[in-house]
């Protein structure tokens, strides 16, 4: 088991090196660079910038160096000094920008993920054990609606409902009057009145899909002979269902739980943009639009590190829960 | 249901362990009512092995599941009574029990064990053999986990599992088919049941393993003096293990008798035809094997009268296709559900 984990981790290293290089190259691929975008923005703002000044800027940022040199400068700083470089647009260290938003992102995503599982697993199990019952149909309708309505649309509707009927002030994490104030009781209450919308949006979107998956997995497992064996041993229905088929039906979930890690980090970009939440998602979107290469590159690098770690974690968890995986 | 309309049942004879009387299990489907079990009666005495033989779809497995109250949820209990004598001596009317009742849950695994056809999939893939046995033991007996584990190892030893101390911590996918069926039998025997229902326990095994498992079941049966309802479609297996035999056709028991009676003096034309269709070493030299003409009728259109009449060599028009035959009881206790039981030629069956 230990050897398996070590082997998995060793394989992750070349994968990460490759992914980091590819992500750096992809960011450079579109025509123009950060300076092009920056200068265009300044000119739109009415400033006058000569071509000479533009070339100087480019030289300053080291954008004229060969790609490999730029890549090495970036990756060696990360590896040796933990320095992700400076965001060209924000003129601030990348790590600072990301850390600032990471806490909220992780809290929001984790709570919504936990809600998703708490809703989806029992409902999926119920739907499967009471197939074609009234509640099964109700959950099915809810499931397809939840899957069919885009998250951002649900976010807009909920904002509208909260604003018109509940007289709440919506969007952002806190109301403007609390912005930049220290955290106290009033601010927390105010945040709670904002944060339920993204939670509901993220949890329903995720749960709707997972209910269907759980139901299908359970229907497959409930037909298997070992379920009948468990009944024939004298266990009650609840014990049989939760101890045997649920254990097996959860394995596909466990094998994908690692993907939740990068998802937690990036959050739901569109929902976050619509709701004006200070999470990492909109930051990534902005960095890509501006070709803010160190910021975007660091983002993608962190995402891929999380993906690789998440996959390794999933594999280990699955090996722990499903003995059939362990030794093959 | 039939519960309320019943006259009080006469108590079962003391040696009787299980008695089925006129049991009917029907399935409402989109294409009509399927009478999968249509008036089945049989009984099992303590320490006796009853073989139940029939083709696929004859209702033998559904009947067995009714004894456990584990028939599919769509099934309707159409008629009849199932009674079982508990270890305490009291009779339980199983057919009146709720699927999830406390009594049923005590009986299952505690007093009635069941072995299934598919050893490859009938054990939980994510729990060790030991865990599955220990859970059953702890459910029915007030023992500590360590005691239950010791008992699991003892059970594995009893079913002649090689290296029981090692196998107890193994998962089913580490075991061969024969070993899994041994584990399954150990699981069914976890709480010393008075009755073991074996639903085609050797069908999925190769012939060598089949012989070993049959040998094991026979020795366990004698050692523990337990009764077995042994369901199979294989007459050879029945001859090997059973004391008495019930032959089923289209949801009815058409003939019951001792093994000798069934094999040497079959009274029902269906039993006779089945016996003649078995190839025998040495006997069939140069002779074409007899087959039963026609197909098993589809369950939505069961023939009127005697349901076997379209395929019967002795069918008499005007009688067999009109009247449903009653059980004809012979002096020895042998019964056959045929208008002409005892009159039709036995011909070569005795061979």
């Amino acid at each position: 088991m230990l050897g398996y984990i070590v082997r998995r981790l060793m394989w992750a290293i070349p994968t990460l090196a490759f992914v980091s290089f590819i992500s750096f190259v992809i960011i450079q691929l579109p025509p123009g660079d950060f300076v092009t975008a920056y200068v265009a923005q300044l000119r739109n703002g009415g400033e006058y910038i000569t071509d000479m000044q533009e070339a100087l800027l480019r030289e300053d940022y080291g954008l004229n160096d060969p790609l490999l040199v730029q890549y090495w400068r970036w990756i060696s700083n990360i590896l040796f000094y933990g320095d992700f470089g400076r965001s060209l647009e924000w003129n601030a260290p990348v790590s600072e920008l990301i850390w600032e938003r990471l806490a909220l992102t992780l809290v929001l995503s984790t709570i919504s993920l936990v809600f998703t599982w708490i809703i989806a697993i029992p409902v999926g199990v119920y739907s499967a054990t009471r197939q074609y019952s009234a509640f099964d149909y109700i959950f099915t309708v809810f499931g397809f609606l939840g899957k069919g309505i885009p998250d951002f649309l649900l976010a807009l509707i909920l904002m509208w409902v909260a604003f018109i009927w509940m007289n709440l002030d919506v969007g952002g994490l806190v109301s403007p009057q609390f912005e930049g104030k220290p955290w106290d009781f009033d601010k927390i209450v105010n945040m709670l009145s904002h944060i339920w919308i993204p939670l509901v949006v993220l949890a329903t979107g995720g749960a709707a899909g997972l209910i269907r998956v759980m139901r299908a997995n359970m229907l497959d497992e409930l037909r298997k002979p070992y379920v009948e064996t468990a009944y024939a041993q004298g266990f009650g229905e609840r014990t049989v269902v939760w101890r045997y088929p649920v254990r097996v039906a959860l394995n596909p979930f466990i094998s994908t739980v690692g993907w939740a890690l990068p998802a937690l980090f990036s959050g739901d970009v569109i929902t976050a943009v619509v709701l004006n939440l200070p999470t990492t998602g909109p930051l990534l979107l902005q960095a890509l639009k501006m070709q803010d290469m160190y910021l975007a590159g660091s983002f993608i690098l962190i995402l891929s590190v999380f993906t690789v770690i998440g996959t390794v974690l999933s594999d280990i968890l699955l090996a722990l829960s499903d003995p059939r995986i362990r030794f093959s | 249901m039939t519960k309320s309309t019943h006259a009080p049942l006469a108590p079962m004879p003391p040696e009787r362990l299980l008695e089925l009387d006129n049991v009917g299990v029907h399935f409402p489907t989109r294409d009509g009512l399927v009478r999968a079990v249509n008036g089945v009666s049989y009984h099992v005495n303590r320490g006796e092995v009853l073989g139940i033989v029939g083709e696929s779809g004859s209702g033998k497995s559904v009947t067995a599941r009714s004894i456990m109250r584990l028939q599919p949820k769509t099934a309707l209990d159409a008629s009849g009574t199932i009674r079982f004598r508990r270890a305490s001596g009291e009779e339980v009317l199983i057919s009146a029990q709720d699927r999830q009742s406390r009594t049923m849950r005590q009986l299952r695994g505690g007093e009635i064990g069941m072995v299934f056809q598919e050893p490859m999939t009938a054990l939980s893939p994510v729990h060790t053999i030991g865990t599955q046995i220990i859970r059953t033991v702890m459910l029915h007996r007030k023992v500590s986990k360590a005691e239950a584990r010791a008992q699991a190892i003892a059970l594995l030893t009893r079913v002649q599992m090689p290296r029981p101390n090692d196998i107890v911590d193994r998962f089913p996918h580490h075991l061969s088919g024969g070993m899994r069926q041994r584990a399954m039998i150990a699981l069914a025997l976890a709480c010393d049941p008075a009755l073991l229902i074996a639903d085609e326990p050797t069908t999925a095994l190769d012939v060598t393993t089949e012989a070993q498992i049959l040998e094991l079941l026979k020795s366990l049966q004698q050692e523990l003096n337990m009764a077995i309802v042994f369901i199979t479609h294989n007459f050879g297996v029945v001859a090997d293990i059973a004391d008495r035999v019930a032959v089923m056709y289209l949801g009815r028991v058409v003939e019951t008798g001792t093994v000798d009676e069934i094999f040497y003096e079959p009274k029902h034309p269906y039993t006779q035809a089945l016996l003649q269709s078995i190839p025998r070493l040495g006997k069939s030299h140069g002779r074409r094997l007899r087959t039963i003409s026609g197909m098993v009728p589809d369950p939505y259109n069961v023939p009127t009268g005697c349901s076997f009449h379209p395929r019967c060599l002795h069918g008499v028009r005007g009688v067999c296709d009109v009247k449903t035959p009653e059980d004809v009881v012979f002096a020895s206790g042998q019964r056959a559900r045929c208008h002409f039981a005892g009159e039709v030629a036995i011909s070569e069956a005795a061979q």
Side-chain angles (χ1 to χ4, degrees), chain B residues 332-345:
Chain B
S332 62
Q334 190 175 4
R335 290 159 168 266
R337 196 178 275 274
C338 172
H339 296 296
F340 302 100
E343 297 167 33
V344 294

Side-chain angles (χ1 to χ4, degrees), chain A residues 3-317:
Chain A
Y4 171 78
I5 296 172
V6 169
R7 232 180 9 258
R8 286 305 318 259
L9 289 174
M10 297 294 278
W11 268 109
I13 293 169
T15 314
L16 285 175
F18 186 69
V19 168
S20 69
F21 182 71
I22 292 290
S23 47
F24 197 78
V25 170
I26 289 177
I27 294 161
Q28 310 268 344
L29 272 185
D33 53 26
F34 168 70
V35 172
T36 323
Y38 180 59
V39 167
Q41 206 181 35
L42 288 181
R43 282 184 181 143
N44 278 343
E47 301 235 10
Y48 182 75
I49 308 268
T50 61
D51 289 353
M52 182 78 151
Q53 282 169 312
E54 195 179 332
L56 271 175
L57 270 174
R58 202 159 271 139
E59 190 65 36
D60 272 358
Y61 286 128
L63 295 178
N64 290 331
D65 297 335
L67 186 65
L68 274 175
V69 173
Q70 290 191 45
Y71 170 70
W72 177 248
R73 192 157 56 216
W74 176 64
I75 199 77
S76 58
N77 274 330
I78 293 176
L79 286 179
F80 301 137
Y81 309 107
D83 177 8
F84 286 83
R86 287 181 81 81
S87 160
L88 305 174
E89 190 198 358
W90 298 76
N91 201 17
V94 165
S95 43
E96 211 169 85
L97 284 171
I98 293 179
W99 284 122
E100 204 171 80
R101 288 161 171 253
L102 195 59
L104 175 67
T105 313
L106 287 181
V107 167
L108 254 185
S109 312
T110 311
I111 296 176
S112 67
L113 183 75
V114 168
F115 268 125
T116 305
W117 281 52
I118 290 177
I119 298 169
I121 294 172
V123 169
V125 170
Y126 178 92
S127 268
T129 49
R130 303 271 180 277
Q131 196 187 7
Y132 303 136
S133 66
F135 275 106
D136 179 28
Y137 282 117
I138 291 169
F139 290 136
T140 301
V141 169
F142 165 79
F144 282 123
L145 276 180
K147 201 81 194 117
I149 298 174
D151 281 356
F152 71 88
L153 185 63
L154 190 60
L156 287 173
I157 293 170
L158 283 180
M159 278 166 79
W160 180 75
V161 168
F163 182 71
I164 297 285
W165 288 350
M166 297 162 73
N167 217 6
L168 289 173
D169 148 59
V170 290
L173 186 64
V174 287
S175 301
Q177 66 267 31
F178 289 99
E179 207 89 58
K181 295 248 179 75
W183 285 96
D184 58 14
F185 184 72
D186 286 345
K187 190 169 174 182
I188 291 173
V189 170
N190 183 268
M191 182 196 71
L192 289 178
S193 75
H194 282 77
I195 208 164
W196 66 270
I197 295 181
L199 282 182
V200 168
V201 169
L202 295 176
T204 50
L210 283 189
I211 287 173
R212 304 304 300 166
V213 175
M214 192 65 199
R215 180 178 181 272
N217 287 351
M218 276 301 286
L219 284 177
D220 280 348
E221 292 304 323
L222 283 170
R223 291 196 194 100
K224 301 240 170 104
Y226 69 84
V227 178
E228 194 178 27
T229 306
Y231 278 118
Q233 284 164 264
F235 293 110
E237 179 163 7
R238 192 170 305 162
T239 317
V240 170
V241 168
W242 285 95
R243 271 199 192 169
Y244 295 88
V246 170
R247 262 297 302 278
V248 185
L250 279 179
N251 286 340
F253 278 79
I254 293 171
S255 66
T256 55
V257 71
W259 301 344
L261 210 54
L264 287 183
F265 178 71
S266 67
D268 190 296
V269 178
I270 301 177
T271 309
V273 170
V274 167
L275 291 172
N276 191 22
L277 292 174
T279 57
T280 46
L283 188 66
L284 169 64
L285 186 66
Q286 185 61 22
L288 291 172
K289 271 162 60 184
M290 284 300 289
Q291 294 193 337
D292 190 348
M293 61 189 199
Y294 292 125
L295 183 55
S298 304
F299 246 112
I300 293 176
L301 183 67
I302 292 173
L303 277 180
S304 40
V305 169
F306 276 12
T307 308
V308 172
I309 293 175
T311 310
V312 172
L313 274 182
S314 278
D315 287 355
I316 294 169
L317 282 177

Side-chain angles (χ1 to χ4, degrees), chain A residues 129-130 221 224-248 251 320-327, chain B residues 65 68 70 73 99-100 104-110 112-114 116 118 121-127 131-133 135-136 139-140 171 173-174 184 187:
Chain A
T129 49
R130 303 271 180 277
E221 292 304 323
K224 301 240 170 104
Y226 69 84
V227 178
E228 194 178 27
T229 306
Y231 278 118
Q233 284 164 264
F235 293 110
E237 179 163 7
R238 192 170 305 162
T239 317
V240 170
V241 168
W242 285 95
R243 271 199 192 169
Y244 295 88
V246 170
R247 262 297 302 278
V248 185
N251 286 340
L320 286 177
S321 98
D322 191 340
R324 290 168 295 181
I325 307 287
R326 232 167 274 169
F327 302 98
Chain B
R65 278 167 181 67
M68 297 289 259
L70 284 179
K73 283 185 177 155
R99 181 187 177 91
Q100 286 298 332
M104 272 332 290
R105 284 186 281 129
Q106 286 169 352
L107 287 182
R108 285 185 209 132
I112 307 178
M114 190 152 182
F116 296 92
E118 289 289 340
T121 51
L123 291 164
S124 165
V126 294
H127 299 99
T131 306
Q132 301 187 43
I133 299 177
R135 279 184 179 172
T136 309
L139 178 70
H140 295 285
F171 290 93
H173 65 275
H174 294 132
M184 185 77 228
L187 184 60

Side-chain angles (χ1 to χ4, degrees), chain B residues 226-284:
Chain B
M226 106 191 125
I228 301 183
V229 173
F230 196 100
I231 299 166
T232 179
H233 57 254
N234 186 334
F235 257 116
V237 169
V238 162
D240 202 14
I241 196 169
D243 300 314
R244 282 191 309 116
V245 179
V247 181
M248 285 187 69
Y249 184 75
L250 279 183
R252 285 204 171 92
V253 173
V254 293
E255 182 162 6
T256 48
T258 63
V259 170
D260 286 348
E261 286 166 348
I262 295 291
F263 276 83
Y264 296 107
E265 297 164 46
K267 299 288 198 286
H268 197 284
Y270 177 62
T271 317
Q272 294 168 359
L274 275 182
L275 285 165
Q276 283 171 16
S277 62
I278 303 170
R280 281 158 210 233
L281 281 176
K283 291 277 181 188
S284 53

